[in-house]
Amino acid sequence: MRRLSVAEAVREAIAEEMRQNEKVFCIGEDIGIEGGFGGAFGVTQGLSEEFGHQRILDTPIAEAGIAGVAIGAAIMGMRPIADVQYGDFIFVAMDQLINNAAKLRYLSKGKIKVPLVMRIPVGVSGRGTQHAQSLESLLSHIPGLKIVCPSTPYDAKGLLKSAIRDDNPVMVFEHKLLYGATGRKEALDVSMDVPKEEYLIPIGRADVKREGKDITIVGLLKTVHTALTAAKRLKKEGIELEVIDPRTLVPLDEETILKSVKKTGRIIIIQEDNLFSGWGAEVISLVTEKIFDYLDAPPKRIGPPATPVPFAPVMEKYYVPDEEDLIKEVAKIMG
Amino acid sequence: MIDKTKISPNKFIETYTTMVRIRQFEDRVYLLFLEGEMPGTIHLYQGQEAVAAAVCANLRREDLITSTHRPHGHAIAKGVSLRSLMAELFAKKTGCCEAKGGSMHMGDMDVGMLPAIAIVGGGIPVATGLALASKMMHSGKVAVSFFGDGATSEGAFHEAVNMGAIWNLPVVYVCENNLYGASTHQSKVMKIKNVAERASSYGIPGKVVDGNDVFSVYEVAKEAISRARKGKGPTLLECKTYRRGGHSRSDACRYRGKEEEKVWLAKDPIPQARKKLVQLGVLTEKKAKEIEEKVKKEIKDAIEYARRSPSPEPEDTLVNVFVGGEN
Ligand SMILES: Cc1ncc(C[n+]2csc(CCOP(=O)(O)OP(=O)(O)O)c2C)c(N)n1
Ligand SMILES: [Mg+2]
């Protein structure tokens, strides 16, 4: 074992899969340039040295092209890992992802497979409205796309490897503040031991990141860590949070969530993504539809206000839900 | 060639001063940023000053521009106040976006600059729409879209320039070709040598100009803008230039060749302009010094203003999402 950051874990997953399967390749902006950045967050740093520029394919600034070209290559049996620098640029590629990646199999009598991986960095990180949005709920709305959201290096590696091997289009969301050294003050250090031996994490299985008897907290990406921090503080007051990380939104591991809420009788969602029509609402619907009688308190969601992401640190702090917000809600629910 | 009869001496001096103002602003901002006084990231404009200064010198206050992730130069040239720009960088309530935007979104509608659009290529269709409205409303306004070489690979560029062309809209597309989109050299992403060649596929004029020569840019911009204003349609101007620093805050430019850097860095637009103006007898070295001193004071004032300005309130986050109410 050795400690890896999320960026390193993702890089290792890509490299392992590229070594094992020559059909796997990366396509994106500024990912393989000599003397360059290795993508916006350094994830592909060094890969072009090992795999060459044919397989670490630098593109023009053209997200619709990147997504569409990757889809075409995937249909022919290649396994592209496409990259947008910031999730916010995925809007430029939306038509290709939603109208093509998610639909061509359906239209082809099941003859077409689109084994596309799209890596999408999301989340607030001090860059303002157009470099900050969370898009996992938005894309989870589209039947035909799998949605993966790892919160730790271990999960990031195991899930990305599964995504690359999956025959469906998989949207992999990564949080900018979880990558590791990105030069951002607010970045969290989530580096951890990751086995050297190969492992996979199946898509569609949630993880109980912390066991507790009092309240089920469901977080995603960075808010998993927010919940864990709150849990540590509340332990001192004798409150035990159970922290569930769905890890994938589509497909959603309903069983793990329901089992937890049956035990605790209470659920709070903490999400950075917009609340309206968001993934948290989906999880709460699930709970109220299936195990309403187990609930001892109304379910609750914590999230940002319904506004764009503001730039100034004081407003940004107000915008992003943090452990204080969560602890306040816990206090209310525990009465 | 510079034709003194075509530009008044005052205009010469004004445009030169704008370049100096942008350079000093960016140099100061860079230091303030390194010292940690500014949050976020910055994309600086040093080296490209001649483009913003010469293009905007030909615009009226009510004319409109769109800009990019690298907007400081455009904002200064279009006349956004230095105080409000500096305050925005300091994330203060008095900033030109009330601290909602930061470096990548500078703008001020009072002087005809939309908040800069940081999505590469995103401003080009919007500028085309500004021009469409000008035509439909007979307002006589011209729109200018500034964008980089990299942006011309986006679909938005193609769609918008074509629309501007078919409807003969009063818009000028100004491509600042600094040879790189982030770390990627132009030669890796297009087979043509000049972005301006793309104009022919839309049936509009395309002009290549030395973007480090403020006089050349001035001449072609003047022609393109007056053509647009007369209803004769858009022009694609390609200004060949070079950024003197990194793409963004922490970029050491290791992807640029030393030889290439040497050649381009020697072609600094500002000393070049000063030399010519002195030769023409429009400027003296003494006067040039005075301009520098004057600008230095303006920037000092802007920094002091920014420092003493209040921060926004957290709840200001909620303001201006919708017309007619807070959410
Ligand atoms: C749609 C989109 N894709 C990618 C980016 C990331 N990005 C920001 S600036 C930039 C390079 C832009 O190059 P160019 O248009 O030449 O402008 P320059 O930076 O040289 O001024 C890139 C790739 C972005 N902001 N928007
Ligand atoms: Mg460029």
Side-chain angles (χ1 to χ4, degrees), chain B residues 48 69-70 147-151 176-182 184 243:
Chain B
Q48 306 182 197
H69 57 283
R70 197 182 301 289
F147 50 88
D149 46 296
E176 296 181 63
N177 185 348
N178 59 12
L179 270 179
Y180 291 87
T184 306
R243 59 171 148 73

Side-chain angles (χ1 to χ4, degrees), chain A residues 29-31 33-37 45 53 58-64 85 88-89 92 125-131 182-185 305-316 318-319, chain B residues 36 39-41 88-89 91 98-105 116-120 150-151 153-154 181-184 188-189 247 249 251 253-255 311-318 321 327:
Chain A
E29 296 159 14
D30 300 291
I31 60 172
I33 304 286
E34 267 108 300
F37 321 126
Q45 195 69 256
H53 294 287
D58 282 296
T59 67
I61 308 172
E63 291 75 13
Q85 299 193 332
D88 310 66
F89 315 154
V92 179
S125 71
R127 300 289 180 276
T129 51
Q130 295 175 346
H131 288 73
T182 57
R184 283 158 166 76
K185 273 192 229 114
T307 72
V309 181
F311 164 68
V314 285
M315 289 193 278
E316 190 182 280
Y318 174 83
Y319 178 93
Chain B
T41 191
E88 187 63 27
L89 292 172
E98 292 188 332
K100 293 266 176 62
S103 165
M104 287 193 280
H105 299 293
I117 294 171
I119 303 300
V120 169
S153 291
E154 288 283 6
S183 71
T184 306
K188 290 201 161 73
V189 297
H247 168 65
R249 58 180 183 134
D251 171 17
C253 292
R254 273 172 312 189
Y255 48 85
S311 284
E313 295 302 322
E315 293 77 13
D316 290 337
T317 303
L318 306 175
V321 179
N327 298 326

Side-chain angles (χ1 to χ4, degrees), chain A residues 1-20 42-45 47 50-51 81 153-154 156-158 160-161 164 192-199:
Chain A
M1 297 257 231
R2 65 268 125 87
R3 287 181 84 76
L4 294 185
S5 67
V6 168
E8 288 162 342
V10 170
R11 185 184 310 135
E12 201 168 88
I14 294 172
E16 283 182 15
E17 292 304 301
M18 286 184 74
R19 279 177 210 130
Q20 287 179 36
V43 167
T44 53
Q45 195 69 256
L47 293 181
E50 179 176 351
F51 299 105
I81 305 168
Y154 180 81
K157 184 175 174 192
L160 182 56
K161 283 171 69 85
I164 294 167
M192 64 188 287
D193 288 341
V194 176
K196 270 203 174 122
E197 306 74 51
E198 172 156 85
Y199 67 93

Side-chain angles (χ1 to χ4, degrees), chain A residues 208-218 231 240-244 256 259-261 263-264:
Chain A
V208 181
K209 287 279 189 272
R210 183 186 194 279
E211 287 188 19
K213 60 178 179 12
D214 295 319
I215 309 185
T216 299
I217 312 293
V218 188
E240 294 291 346
L241 302 185
E242 175 143 307
V243 179
I244 306 281
T256 302
K259 193 171 144 213
S260 173
V261 180
K263 178 173 76 177
T264 62

